Amino acid sequence: MKGTWKLKLRMWITSILMFTTVYILVMLAGTYLGVGSYMVWMAASLIIVFLQYWFGPSLVKRSMNVRPLSEAEAPQIHKMVAELAQEAGIPKPEVGLSEVDIPNAFAYGRSKRSGHIAITRPILGLLDQDELRAVIGHEMGHIKHNDMIVTTIVSVIPMICYYVALSFMFSGDRDNGGTILIGILGYVFYLIGQLLVLFISRTREYYADEASVEFGNRPAALVSALYKLSYGAARANKETIADLNTNRAFFVNDINNAKNDIVDFRQIDFDGDGRISDEELKRLVSSDVKISKKNGIMELLSTHPDSLKRVKRLGELEY
């Protein structure tokens, strides 16, 4: 797949930075507390990672109100999932229906051997068969790449930094400059870690997009699906968006940025029919896409890539 090595390199560099950050903080905290070995702190961190890894799927299932979707209820969807799993070379994931009032899909689980793909009820009447298959292919890509494990491991690092910061900044030992310094460093590392987690999340989305195309889906079908899903998220009420905010990284697109995404998609929907054709996508590939400073800053704080950059990259996979 085009450009994959660059994405892999970024993933490795970012992961190394994340673990270096938490190692430095744990070492400083352990030294200050007089703990004989940093291994005690590292063991505690690994326990937290394991607990999040083990109970994470159950928490996602509960928070997203997912129930099993039987083959009798949705034979076409099960057929899509089975075919895409065969293309991906992984066991067929469990299929679920999420009763949340926003059109989207997501994957979760501990590994590619215990993967789950869930679709929300509103997506069923919104996307055509090609678009839905492209979206499910995207989620299949997340499972094939073991994104659940990567996300679990890296996302817990900022949390560790945050709790170290709280422990030292409000320890009560205000006269000790070392305590305050470690607390401040912990908070700075927490902010840096959050930005790196978002970067990894955006990188993973590129991987999943490429995987969907690799599994035989048309890039234009996935782009049209993203366009329609943005409209669906933009129509959702604020309470629904707020309730799903902590889980937005699981979705195919960033539901918080839906209105801005629509503005971007309209620029390439040249005939205004609400979908992106192969010809429109081809036209975008040959264009010079420039991202505004505002959108560039917003992308840094988003779980998903800027929509125009993402769409152009999809187009470049085919044209």
Side-chain angles (χ1 to χ4, degrees):
M1 293 184 294
K2 184 177 180 179
T4 302
W5 71 270
K6 294 181 180 179
L7 293 174
K8 289 181 177 179
L9 180 62
R10 291 174 185 173
M11 284 294 301
W12 276 107
I13 292 174
T14 305
S15 298
I16 290 170
L17 285 173
M18 290 280 282
F19 283 101
T20 301
T21 296
V22 77
Y23 175 83
I24 292 172
L25 186 60
V26 166
M27 182 181 65
L28 289 173
T31 301
Y32 176 80
L33 293 174
V35 177
S37 172
Y38 68 90
M39 293 301 293
V40 175
W41 284 74
M42 196 60 70
S45 301
L46 289 174
I47 290 172
I48 295 172
V49 171
F50 175 77
L51 290 175
Q52 185 169 337
Y53 162 78
W54 188 258
F55 293 106
S58 299
L59 294 175
V60 171
K61 182 178 180 179
R62 183 175 300 177
S63 65
M64 302 290 272
N65 196 14
V66 178
R67 69 166 178 83
L69 184 64
S70 70
E71 193 166 353
E73 290 179 275
Q76 279 297 109
I77 292 174
H78 273 268
K79 182 181 178 183
M80 284 184 191
V81 172
E83 291 173 349
L84 288 165
Q86 186 173 8
E87 288 285 343
I90 62 175
K92 179 189 174 188
E94 297 292 327
V95 182
L97 182 68
S98 172
E99 299 287 357
V100 299
D101 194 22
I102 191 168
N104 225 294
F106 54 95
Y108 64 98
R110 298 190 187 97
S111 71
K112 65 180 68 175
R113 295 188 176 279
S114 61
H116 293 73
I117 289 179
I119 58 173
T120 65
R121 187 176 293 279
I123 204 175
L124 295 174
L126 182 66
L127 305 184
D128 64 29
Q129 291 294 302
D130 286 347
E131 292 163 350
L132 183 58
R133 192 179 191 280
V135 167
I136 293 176
H138 173 98
E139 299 306 330
M140 194 71 68
H142 281 308
I143 294 175
K144 180 179 181 179
H145 299 145
N146 279 318
D147 284 352
M148 298 81 71
I149 298 174
V150 174
T151 303
T152 296
I153 292 174
V154 299
S155 64
V156 80
I157 291 175
M159 182 177 70
I160 294 170
C161 294
Y162 181 73
Y163 283 115
V164 169
L166 282 183
S167 299
F168 280 84
M169 290 180 75
F170 303 102
S171 64
D173 190 7
R174 296 181 180 272
D175 295 329
N176 193 313
T179 302
I180 297 174
L181 179 61
I182 293 174
I184 292 173
L185 282 175
Y187 192 72
V188 170
F189 287 167
Y190 159 73
L191 295 176
I192 294 173
Q194 288 286 61
L195 291 175
L196 291 174
V197 167
L198 291 173
F199 175 78
I200 286 177
S201 179
R202 293 193 299 271
T203 303
R204 286 284 146 190
E205 293 304 317
Y206 282 126
Y207 268 118
D209 284 350
E210 291 183 16
S212 184
V213 176
E214 183 186 12
F215 301 154
N217 296 303
R218 291 169 34 248
L222 181 54
V223 175
S224 281
L226 294 172
Y227 191 9
K228 291 181 179 181
L229 293 177
S230 296
Y231 267 109
R235 294 191 187 105
N237 59 55
K238 293 181 179 179
E239 290 75 17
T240 300
I241 297 294
D243 289 343
L244 297 172
N245 189 53
T246 55
N247 290 325
R248 63 193 172 106
F250 286 95
F251 288 136
V252 181
N253 62 325
D254 189 346
I255 58 176
N256 281 357
N257 203 39
K259 292 182 179 179
N260 290 319
D261 287 343
I262 290 172
V263 173
D264 287 340
F265 282 120
R266 281 175 179 166
Q267 295 180 48
I268 57 176
D269 181 14
F270 300 110
D271 58 10
D273 66 348
R275 65 176 66 229
I276 306 300
S277 66
D278 293 280
E279 187 59 37
E280 286 169 330
L281 187 57
K282 186 176 181 179
R283 185 171 167 183
L284 173 68
V285 171
S286 61
S287 303
D288 183 22
V289 173
K290 294 182 179 179
I291 309 300
S292 67
K293 290 183 179 180
K294 177 184 176 183
N295 285 355
I297 294 172
M298 289 181 65
E299 185 184 34
L300 290 176
L301 303 176
S302 176
T303 55
H304 292 67
D306 177 87
S307 55
L308 282 182
K309 286 170 60 177
R310 185 178 183 183
V311 169
K312 184 163 185 178
R313 185 175 182 86
L314 270 166
E316 289 171 346
L317 295 174
E318 184 166 318
Y319 304 112

